[in-house]
Amino acid sequence: MYKTIVVHIDGSRQQDSRLRAAARLAADHDAHLVGAGMTGMSWVDFALLTGSMGAPVMPGTDFQGMRDAVSVRLEKFVEDARRLGIASLESRLVEDDPRYALLMQSRYADLTVLSQDDEPDPDLPVRVRGLPEHVALRGARPVLVVPGTYHGEPIASTAVVGWDGSMQAIRAIEGALPLLQRAESVKLALINPDELSELHGEEPGADMALYLARQGVQVDVIVERTRSTTGDALMAMARTCGAGLLAVGAYGHSRYREWVLGGVTREVLARSPVPLLLAH
């Protein structure tokens, strides 16, 4: 079960949908919900602020203003979470860049809840593009990426799990297991498995389906051969079966110290119509 869930609090337009998802999971799993808000000040920014690198010292009220703005957002989070029925919760103000702060916070939680990237919000003081993939690829815990269209629907009454035999897919299944065990139906989806025959054994999907069944998961193996991309095929399957969750492994490789996303990860991150669980 998930016993500690971290949700990003930034005051953006997407915050309501991600908080609804986090609150629903916290209620279902009797979990402690942590709202984490960041000032956006990294250690480099702080060094510049204090003048320790020879830069002019900014007025203290500027830095305090950032803290005050985050505090207001966190107070609103507490009110909203209580309104959604969450009893065990806390807020955390972190003086750091969201990318590094959420990586640290995620280490001590079972799940981190973020939002899909969307159009820039002009009212948002701290804006970080690519936050979900940053935390998923560099972090040790699964990430739930919530679309802005989510309004509180059951997250895992039906779930689609992308299975290609990889370590990343195993990590996604492990991270999603508390949800899969509660689901009424889990579709273990194999897209064009013949292309990865060396990872699947004699009967593609059979061994993982047996593993999941022993974990109490109501699982069906769905093999689809298509000319569509894997990401498109998985999302289409999620729509067709009315899934509330899509779980896939997060792929990426380092190029000049920057993570470059694999095609499937990039597709589902940008366009998944339902909450997306990623793990690397």
Side-chain angles (χ1 to χ4, degrees):
M1 294 180 68
Y2 303 132
K3 301 310 294 182
T4 304
I5 297 173
V6 170
V7 59
H8 183 208
I9 300 301
D10 64 352
S12 69
R13 292 174 297 200
Q14 297 82 22
Q15 181 175 300
D16 180 68
S17 57
R18 95 175 73 103
L19 178 53
R20 286 182 181 276
R24 180 164 195 127
L25 291 178
D28 289 346
H29 294 264
D30 193 24
H32 183 69
L33 182 61
V34 178
M38 296 85 199
T39 61
M41 296 291 292
S42 68
W43 71 268
V44 174
D45 296 325
F46 184 76
L48 290 170
L49 174 66
T50 59
S52 61
M53 296 179 68
V57 178
M58 292 174 58
T61 53
D62 291 344
F63 182 57
Q64 188 58 45
M66 296 177 186
R67 291 176 53 88
D68 291 344
V70 176
S71 295
V72 169
R73 291 195 289 271
L74 290 174
E75 289 173 3
K76 180 69 163 49
F77 153 74
V78 171
E79 293 175 3
D80 291 342
R82 286 177 176 160
R83 176 175 49 82
L84 291 168
I86 304 305
S88 180
L89 61 97
E90 68 176 287
S91 61
R92 294 178 185 168
L93 190 156
V94 187
E95 296 172 2
D96 203 349
D97 182 288
R99 291 168 296 183
Y100 308 114
L102 283 166
L103 276 178
M104 179 61 71
Q105 297 296 316
S106 70
R107 296 178 67 176
Y108 308 106
D110 300 300
L111 184 70
T112 302
V113 181
L114 305 174
S115 291
Q116 282 179 339
D117 275 339
D118 204 345
E119 293 300 319
D121 188 340
D123 298 324
L124 188 62
V126 181
R127 173 66 179 171
V128 180
R129 296 289 296 179
L131 188 59
E133 56 262 41
H134 181 92
V135 179
L137 290 175
R138 292 171 170 81
R141 308 293 189 182
V143 173
L144 186 73
V145 185
V146 182
T149 54
Y150 177 81
H151 297 294
E153 301 84 358
I155 291 179
S157 56
T158 299
V160 171
V161 178
W163 174 240
D164 61 3
S166 67
M167 290 296 295
Q168 290 87 349
I170 291 172
R171 288 291 309 280
I173 289 172
E174 179 184 21
L177 195 56
L179 293 170
L180 304 182
Q181 290 170 326
R182 289 172 170 262
E184 297 174 4
S185 174
V186 173
K187 313 296 184 185
L188 188 68
L190 289 78
I191 310 300
N192 298 325
D194 299 337
E195 298 175 5
L196 297 168
S197 58
E198 72 280 2
L199 296 178
H200 286 300
E202 294 182 4
E203 187 177 350
D207 291 332
M208 180 52 73
L210 180 59
Y211 169 82
L212 288 171
R214 287 173 175 159
Q215 296 286 339
V217 176
Q218 302 297 315
V219 60
D220 295 304
V221 177
I222 307 296
V223 176
E224 183 168 330
R225 293 175 173 84
T226 176
R227 294 184 178 179
S228 298
T229 65
T230 298
D232 280 339
L234 289 171
M235 289 184 286
M237 190 179 299
R239 293 188 188 95
T240 300
C241 69
L245 176 74
L246 176 59
V248 300
Y251 292 85
H253 61 274
S254 181
R255 180 183 295 172
Y256 304 110
R257 298 185 179 180
E258 294 293 332
W259 281 103
V260 179
L261 292 177
V264 176
T265 308
R266 185 168 53 250
E267 286 179 328
V268 295
L269 264 172
R271 296 188 285 111
S272 177
V274 298
L276 168 70
L277 189 138
L278 289 174
H280 179 69

